[in-house]
């Protein structure tokens, strides 16, 4: 039997064709409900991510989230700088890796800075975290430039500095949890 | 000797072809965040996919017909349409993630934005789909996927405390800094990644493409029973390498470029090259499979001519659906949707739709009208029924968990 014929051999099995349809009652309403749930799920995720901070407690939560995400990005950049310093990754790979870490750090920084602090205490917290983010951002950028230029000599120092920034951000998050 | 070689090749292909973008992302993300506390889910997922892949392969070999063809006939057009719609939607999400994965793998070599590489990847997928014979396509990418074994080498090179590692695997729990909800969410993501519906549709349709008959069942079983569990070891290696590298420093997996970093830090540039070959093969292979699965599902549902061995002009609608799905996925990926999020949602939503795929297979595999004397045995039915309960629980919990955990945040 040729393959074409094999595939065409899909006519209903006579002995099975008379069996009742198990899902005859399943209709369009099921699909609509599923679609609504999916929309609700996506909307709830988006709403929670962009909701404003109305109280000090909420602002602290957002600051902790920001510090945790930033620490992750900075630690990734530190590992990229370490790999670059030890000559372990290709320039192309490390460039993309650290570029993504920089983008991620930039995104969380921008999002945090766009949140209006609700009171004076929040102002101080905002300043503290903004400084940590700024220092880390400068060194991530410096490491990206060094990797792209192939300047390996700078990378051990930058790797060390990035490790310290990641630790500082983690400490900030832990202290305010 | 020829039979041994055929079995060996099949097993190797099953191992290398087991991992896709969903497995890469889910295992690396879970390893970084939960260590090996969710490794048991991979084991459960592998048992599940082995049970149902064997069943769907047997159904295809005995009836000479693929899954969707039978689902429509057995469940009726309405229920089958719901099944088809859900499977197609998840397939589209998965294909989007795989195309992005292929592009990111190339971008890590070329240092060009992956968005710019998306059309190139789609053209490449299209050309291979068009020109490469099915058997070659399956085997070549499966064998190249074995390059992911480099993650296991990296784990050995890191040299973990094996006793502690094994103890952690055997005594799982929710880490103190996590909630039970995020634990459940990522557990479901891992489960969905291991039991992605397209794998069964592709496996079943591939059995028809390869012309399986009852005589091929032994070889098919060996491939399934040995190949899939060994493929699961790749998943465990990715998870463990991620835990050992990122776990203590709080790194979250946010992009595919982070996944091979444990290999880079421990095996250098050569390790990176091998890992990238593996990631490319895994995502490219899965992109081909999901494109074909889209065509298989719709063509089988509507009773059109289908098959990769059939000349395009003789199965024009099947090829057109595969092509249009590829274009739709490309357009979706070009919107700049985060590939990691698309991957996470595709595997969690696929978990939500799992009963729609696996219940009909179980029903058909027990129907003597289709299977004659080759219906499920008691043990298979007991195991499959147990899994069906798990699948239903996972299905009910998946979408609420997306909402409660804000997508695993």
């Amino acid at each position: 039997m040729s393959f074409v014929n094999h595939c065409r051999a899909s006519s209903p099995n006579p002995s099975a064709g008379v069996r009742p349809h198990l899902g005859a009652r399943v209709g369009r309403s099921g699909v609509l409900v599923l679609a609504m749930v999916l929309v609700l799920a996506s909307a709830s995720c988006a709403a929670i991510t962009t909701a404003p901070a109305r109280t000090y407690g909420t602002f602290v939560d957002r600051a902790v989230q920001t510090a945790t995400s930033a620490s992750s990005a900075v630690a990734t950049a530190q590992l990229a700088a370490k790999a670059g310093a030890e000559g372990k990754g290709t320039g192309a790979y490390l460039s993309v890796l650290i570029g993504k870490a920089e983008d991620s750090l930039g995104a969380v920084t921008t999002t945090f800075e766009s949140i209006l602090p609700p009171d004076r205490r929040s102002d101080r917290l905002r300043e503290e975290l903004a400084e940590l983010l700024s220092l880390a951002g400068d060194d991530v950028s410096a490491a990206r430039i060094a990797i792209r230029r192939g300047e390996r000599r700078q990378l051990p120092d930058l790797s060390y500095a990035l490790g310290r920034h990641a630790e500082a951000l983690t400490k900030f998050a832990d202290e305010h949890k | 000797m020829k039979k041994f070689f055929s079995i060996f090749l099949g097993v190797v292909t099953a191992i290398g072809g087991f991992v896709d973008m969903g497995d890469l992302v889910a295992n690396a993300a879970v390893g970084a965040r939960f260590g090996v506390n969710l490794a048991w889910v991979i084991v459960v997922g592998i048992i599940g996919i082995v049970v149902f892949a064997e069943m769907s392969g047997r159904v295809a070999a005995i009836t000479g017909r693929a899954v969707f063809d039978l689902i429509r006939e057995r469940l009726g057009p309405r229920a089958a349409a719901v099944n088809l719609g859900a499977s197609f939607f998840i397939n589209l999400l998965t294909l989007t993630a795989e195309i992005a994965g292929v592009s990111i793998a190339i971008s890590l070599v070329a240092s060009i934005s992956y968005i710019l590489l998306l059309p190139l990847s789609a053209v490449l997928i299209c050309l291979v789909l068009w020109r490469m014979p099915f058997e070659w396509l399956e085997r070549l990418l499966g064998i190249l996927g074995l390059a992911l074994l480099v993650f296991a080498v990296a784990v050995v090179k890191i040299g973990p405390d094996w006793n502690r590692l094994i103890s952690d695997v055997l005594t799982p729990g929710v880490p103190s800094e996590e909630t039970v909800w995020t634990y459940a969410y990522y557990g479901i993501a891992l489960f969905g990644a291991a039991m992605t519906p397209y794998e069964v549709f592709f496996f079943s349709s591939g059995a028809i493409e390869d012309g399986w008959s009852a005589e091929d069942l032994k070889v098919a079983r060996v491939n399934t029973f040995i190949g899939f569990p060994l493929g699961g070891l790749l998943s465990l290696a990715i998870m463990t390498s991620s835990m050992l590298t990122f776990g203590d420093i709080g790194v979250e997996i946010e992009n595919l470029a982070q996944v091979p970093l444990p290999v880079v830090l421990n095996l250098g540039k050569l390790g990176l090259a091998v890992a990238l070959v593996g990631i490319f093969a895994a995502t490219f292979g899965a992109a081909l499979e999901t494109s074909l699965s889209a065509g298989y599902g719709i063509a089988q549902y509507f009773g059109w001519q289908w098959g990769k061995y059939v000349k395009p002009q003789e199965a024009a609608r099947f090829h057109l659906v595969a092509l249009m799905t590829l274009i739709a996925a490309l357009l979706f990926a070009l919107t700049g949707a985060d590939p990691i999020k698309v991957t996470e949602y595709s595997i969690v939503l696929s978990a939500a739709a799992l009963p729609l795929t696996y219940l009909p297979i179980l029903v058909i595999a027990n129907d003597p009208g289709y299977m004659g004397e080759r219906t499920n045995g008691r043990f298979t039915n007991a195991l499959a029924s147990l899994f069906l309960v798990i699948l239903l629980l996972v299905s009910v919990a998946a979408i609420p968990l997306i909402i409660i955990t804000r997508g695993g945040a």
Side-chain angles (χ1 to χ4, degrees):
Chain A
M1 184 191 289
S2 73
F3 181 75
V4 174
N5 289 333
H6 196 65
C7 287
R8 281 196 188 282
S10 57
S11 55
N13 183 336
S15 62
V18 293
R19 293 184 183 278
H21 294 157
L22 295 180
R25 287 173 184 270
V26 180
R28 288 175 193 166
S29 55
V31 180
L32 279 174
V33 168
L34 180 65
M36 283 169 69
V37 170
L38 289 177
V39 169
L40 181 68
S42 327
S44 70
C45 293
I48 290 164
T49 313
T50 55
R54 298 188 191 282
T55 64
Y56 178 69
T58 316
F59 189 77
V60 170
D61 285 347
R62 305 296 292 277
V64 168
Q65 278 174 24
T66 302
T68 306
S69 298
S71 173
S72 166
V74 176
T76 302
Q78 188 265 326
L79 292 176
K82 182 172 179 261
E86 295 171 359
K88 283 184 169 168
T90 61
Y93 168 71
L94 294 175
S95 286
V96 173
L97 180 66
I98 203 161
K100 295 266 183 197
E102 191 178 20
D103 290 347
S104 176
L105 181 61
V108 293
T109 303
T110 307
T111 304
F112 179 69
E113 286 174 348
S114 68
I115 303 168
L116 188 69
D119 55 23
R120 290 290 164 96
R121 280 191 300 169
S122 305
D123 284 344
R124 285 195 291 276
L125 194 71
R126 186 177 188 272
E127 278 171 24
E128 188 187 345
L129 181 55
E131 188 177 352
L132 291 177
L133 293 170
S134 171
L135 290 171
D138 290 346
D139 280 342
V140 170
S141 297
R144 176 181 53 79
I145 292 165
I147 284 172
R148 288 206 175 149
R149 288 181 181 164
E151 294 169 348
R152 274 175 57 182
R153 282 185 189 173
Q154 296 179 32
L155 290 174
D157 288 345
L158 284 167
S159 172
Y160 177 77
L162 289 169
R164 298 293 297 270
H165 292 314
E167 280 173 17
L169 286 160
T170 305
K171 193 177 165 199
F172 176 93
D174 289 343
E175 282 175 358
H176 293 90
K177 264 179 187 167
Chain B
M1 189 66 191
K2 196 180 172 189
K3 194 163 189 177
F4 173 78
F5 184 69
S6 168
I7 292 173
F8 175 76
L9 208 57
V11 169
V12 165
T13 306
I15 298 169
F18 185 82
V19 173
D20 64 4
M21 179 78 168
D23 294 290
L24 286 167
V25 169
N27 287 296
V30 167
R33 194 160 164 177
F34 296 89
V36 288
N37 276 294
L38 281 162
W40 63 271
V41 177
I42 297 179
V43 178
V44 174
I46 288 167
I47 295 171
I49 193 73
V50 165
V51 168
F52 283 96
E54 187 279 330
M55 224 182 284
S56 63
R58 180 158 38 92
V59 167
I62 300 299
T63 64
R65 296 163 63 185
V67 169
F68 252 112
D69 181 8
L70 295 169
I71 286 178
R72 178 180 164 135
E73 184 176 291
R74 186 69 179 84
L75 301 191
R78 276 189 159 189
V82 172
N83 195 325
L84 180 68
S87 304
F88 186 83
F89 173 68
I90 290 158
N91 211 38
L92 184 64
L93 278 185
T94 310
L95 179 54
T96 305
E98 306 296 348
I99 294 176
V102 172
S103 305
I104 293 169
I106 300 172
S107 82
L108 295 178
V109 177
S111 194
I112 301 171
S113 167
Y114 88 92
I115 296 270
L116 296 175
L117 292 166
L118 285 168
L120 174 73
S121 302
V123 170
L124 211 57
I125 291 164
C126 199
L127 283 175
V128 172
L129 270 179
W130 201 260
R131 301 298 305 169
M132 194 180 275
F134 185 85
E135 200 175 29
W136 272 90
L137 173 157
E138 214 180 7
R139 289 184 174 170
L140 180 68
L141 290 159
I143 290 167
L144 286 177
L146 278 181
L148 292 172
L149 278 170
V150 76
F151 283 90
V153 178
V155 170
V156 173
K157 183 87 189 294
I158 294 168
D161 178 346
W162 291 101
N163 288 332
R164 191 180 158 195
L165 188 67
I166 291 166
S167 164
D168 287 349
V169 171
L170 296 177
T171 53
V174 183
S176 56
E177 63 276 17
E178 297 289 346
T179 65
V180 70
W181 305 115
T182 53
Y183 186 80
Y185 174 85
Y186 280 97
I188 284 178
L190 275 183
F191 191 69
M195 292 197 72
T196 319
Y198 84 83
E199 288 173 358
V200 167
F201 295 133
F202 182 77
F203 194 74
S204 151
S205 304
I208 306 290
E209 294 257 26
D210 284 335
W212 285 7
S213 64
E215 291 168 5
D216 299 306
L217 279 178
K218 276 186 186 168
V219 176
R221 280 184 179 145
V222 172
N223 292 349
T224 311
F225 292 154
I226 298 178
F228 281 5
L230 290 179
L233 286 180
L234 293 180
S235 295
L236 282 173
I238 294 167
M239 178 187 279
T240 309
S241 68
S242 186
M243 173 194 77
L244 295 170
T245 307
F246 304 125
D248 290 337
I249 52 174
V251 171
E252 289 174 14
I253 300 300
E254 292 175 335
N255 58 73
L256 194 59
Q258 289 170 292
V259 175
L261 194 49
V263 175
V264 174
L265 289 166
N266 294 286
L267 300 171
K269 289 175 184 169
L270 182 62
L272 172 64
V274 178
L276 290 180
V277 168
I279 291 172
F280 177 82
T283 50
F284 197 86
L288 296 174
E289 291 178 9
T290 42
S291 302
L292 285 173
S293 292
Y296 288 145
I298 289 186
Q300 287 164 15
Y301 177 83
F302 287 107
W304 300 338
Q305 176 64 283
W306 61 273
K308 194 164 151 21
Y309 280 156
V310 186
K311 285 180 183 171
Q313 60 264 38
E314 290 172 10
R317 287 177 290 192
F318 160 74
H319 283 90
L320 190 65
V321 170
L323 181 65
M324 295 307 287
T325 311
L326 185 61
I327 291 171
L330 169 67
L331 292 174
F332 185 22
L334 280 170
T335 62
D338 180 357
I340 295 290
K341 277 289 157 206
V342 173
T343 306
E344 281 184 10
Y345 280 111
S346 75
I347 54 182
V348 176
L349 289 176
S350 83
L354 286 175
L356 290 175
T357 303
Y358 292 106
L359 173 65
I361 293 171
L362 181 60
V363 170
I364 293 162
N366 273 299
D367 191 332
Y370 292 102
M371 300 297 290
E373 293 175 354
R374 298 275 190 163
T375 51
N376 284 349
R378 280 186 189 173
F379 178 71
T380 307
N381 268 339
L383 204 55
S385 302
L386 176 66
F387 264 94
L388 213 55
V389 173
I390 298 172
L391 294 174
L392 283 169
L393 290 174
V394 163
S395 169
V396 169
I399 291 174
L401 280 173
I402 293 178
I403 298 168
I404 293 169
T405 64
R406 295 179 238 158

